[in-house]
């Protein structure tokens, strides 16, 4: 077990009519702000505000709609003292979000969708989450092909993104990497990546993991007819995964977990922390006796 620091918890605030996990529930800015404040009260370290659904098959919103969705929500939550990240692939949205108070740009495309986003990040000095990504949601699942192994491919493609980030002038201590669970990945790809996070950690950057409510958890829990568990009933599986990751079962500390039900995942982290403390106590007692 690792004695590394507990992961941070990033609570998801999707201001979208069609997000797969909570689509439409918080698409009005006032409801999204209230939801963000609730996630803060539940113990979120970071609030991730997004205005574009990236569920498989989704089509992109207009730039103006994405701005209208996220900017007022970020302004309000940052004004309450929250650490806010903006979940966007667009340079214009990233720029306006940082002006509105976001301190992190979470780009699921790692700068591939709109390379100018890297200039915004370099200029403003905010933290940048670069996720592994191959294409927009309408065709990403056609690209879930990893000859030679998903772990090595994701590592190599993230290494290419790191080179692009550095070339744009983004400092190493501003970079976070993410395996991109569910993005151009089949179920078994996600599990392989989770088991081999050490390979990605070998790139030398903190890791963010977003597993919460994703299809591969629904598939794990499918019913006897092969129907995946509905999105709203996948929380417990995600919480179990958070406990395992926080306890260091993957052998690699995770910097941040991106989740929907912050309170439930906080509970998982409390269990993992207690587990780690008890094991450390037991090891110390063992040494005293030796
Ligand atoms: N997943 C989604 C959206 N944004 N950002 C990062 N960094 N990592 C993820 O895995 C990720 C993300 C899709 O999930 P949602 O519809 O629940 O937001």
């Amino acid at each position: 077990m690792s004695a590394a620091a507990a992961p941070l918890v990033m609570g998801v605030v999707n201001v979208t009519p069609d997000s797969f996990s909570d689509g439409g529930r918080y698409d009005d800015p006032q409801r999204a702000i209230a939801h963000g404040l609730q996630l803060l009260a539940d113990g979120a370290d970071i609030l991730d505000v997004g205005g574009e659904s990236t569920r498989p098959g989704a089509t992109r919103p207009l730039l103006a709609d994405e701005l209208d969705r996220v900017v007022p929500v970020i302004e309000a939550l940052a004004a309450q003292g929250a650490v806010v990240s903006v979940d966007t692939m667009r340079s214009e949205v990233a720029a306006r979000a940082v002006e509105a108070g976001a301190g992190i740009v979470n780009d699921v495309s790692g700068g591939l969708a709109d390379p100018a986003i890297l200039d915004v990040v370099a200029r403003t000095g905010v933290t940048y989450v670069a996720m592994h990504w191959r294409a927009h949601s309408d065709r990403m699942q056609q690209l879930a092909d990893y000859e030679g192994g998903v772990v090595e491919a994701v590592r190599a493609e993230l290494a290419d993104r790191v080179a692009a980030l550095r070339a744009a002038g983004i400092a190493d201590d501003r970079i976070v990497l993410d395996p991109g669970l569910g993005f151009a990945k089949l179920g078994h790809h996600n599990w392989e990546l989770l088991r081999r996070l050490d390979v990605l950690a070998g790139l030398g950057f903190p890791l963010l993991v977003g597993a919460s409510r994703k299809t591969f958890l629904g598939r794990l829990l499918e019913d006897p007819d092969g129907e995946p568990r509905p999105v709203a009933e996948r929380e417990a599986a995600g919480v179990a995964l958070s406990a395992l990751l926080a306890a260091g079962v993957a052998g690699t500390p995770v910097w941040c977990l991106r989740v929907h039900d912050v309170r439930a995942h906080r509970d998982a982290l409390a269990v993992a922390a207690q587990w780690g403390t008890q094991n450390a106590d037991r090891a110390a007692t063992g040494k005293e006796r030796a």
Side-chain angles (χ1 to χ4, degrees):
M1 293 293 152
S2 134
L8 299 174
V9 175
M10 173 186 268
V12 178
V13 182
N14 280 328
V15 199
T16 55
D18 58 346
S19 193
F20 86 94
S21 54
D22 46 18
R25 282 176 70 190
Y26 313 112
D27 62 342
D28 153 81
Q30 289 315 313
R31 264 188 293 165
I33 293 163
H35 181 57
L37 294 176
Q38 182 60 53
L39 295 182
L40 269 189
D42 289 345
D45 299 297
I46 302 166
L47 297 177
D48 190 38
V49 179
E52 170 169 1
S53 166
T54 48
R55 80 184 146 75
T59 51
R60 305 201 69 193
L62 295 173
L63 168 64
D65 289 342
E66 191 182 342
L67 284 168
D68 286 350
R69 289 173 188 171
V70 300
V71 172
V73 177
I74 292 171
E75 253 164 17
L77 294 173
Q80 296 290 321
V83 176
V84 178
S85 75
V86 60
D87 187 344
T88 188
M89 293 183 254
R90 286 181 162 134
S91 55
E92 300 91 335
V93 177
R96 291 279 300 280
V98 173
E99 271 169 34
I104 301 172
V105 171
N106 173 27
D107 178 1
V108 297
S109 83
L112 286 169
D114 177 3
I117 201 168
L118 303 184
D119 301 327
V120 173
V121 173
R123 177 170 52 76
T124 55
V126 294
T127 293
Y128 183 68
V129 180
M131 199 192 79
H132 176 261
W133 183 90
R134 284 186 161 178
H136 285 290
S137 300
D138 54 354
R139 62 182 202 97
M140 65 178 174
Q141 289 312 93
Q142 296 162 28
L143 302 177
D145 185 6
Y146 297 93
E147 234 177 275
V150 67
V151 177
E152 271 316 310
V154 168
R155 197 203 64 82
E157 288 168 38
L158 282 177
D160 287 348
R161 298 322 304 149
V162 169
L165 272 46
R166 286 175 168 157
I170 300 174
D172 277 11
D173 66 1
R174 303 282 92 188
I175 298 174
V176 174
L177 299 180
D178 182 329
L181 302 178
F183 287 79
K185 315 276 179 335
L186 303 178
H188 70 94
H189 294 140
N190 299 308
W191 290 111
E192 282 166 54
L193 285 163
L194 283 165
R195 273 188 221 107
R196 295 308 314 274
L197 287 177
D198 59 309
V199 174
L200 304 186
L203 291 169
F205 298 93
L207 297 179
L208 185 147
V209 173
S212 182
R213 298 184 182 170
K214 287 198 171 156
T215 304
F216 75 104
L217 297 176
R219 283 273 162 224
L220 175 76
L221 306 171
E222 68 187 17
D223 70 16
D225 298 328
E227 282 303 311
R229 179 75 65 81
V231 174
E233 296 165 35
R234 296 175 189 167
E235 202 65 50
V239 170
L241 190 53
S242 285
L244 292 171
L245 291 174
V249 169
T252 304
V254 170
W255 175 72
C256 185
L257 298 165
R258 182 179 181 279
V259 306
H260 297 85
D261 184 341
V262 166
R263 194 155 190 264
H265 290 264
R266 271 262 161 247
D267 290 354
L269 265 53
V271 170
Q274 184 63 13
W275 180 264
T277 311
Q278 289 194 342
N279 280 338
D281 287 351
R282 206 177 298 145
T285 313
K287 272 192 206 131
E288 276 162 27
R289 283 192 191 142

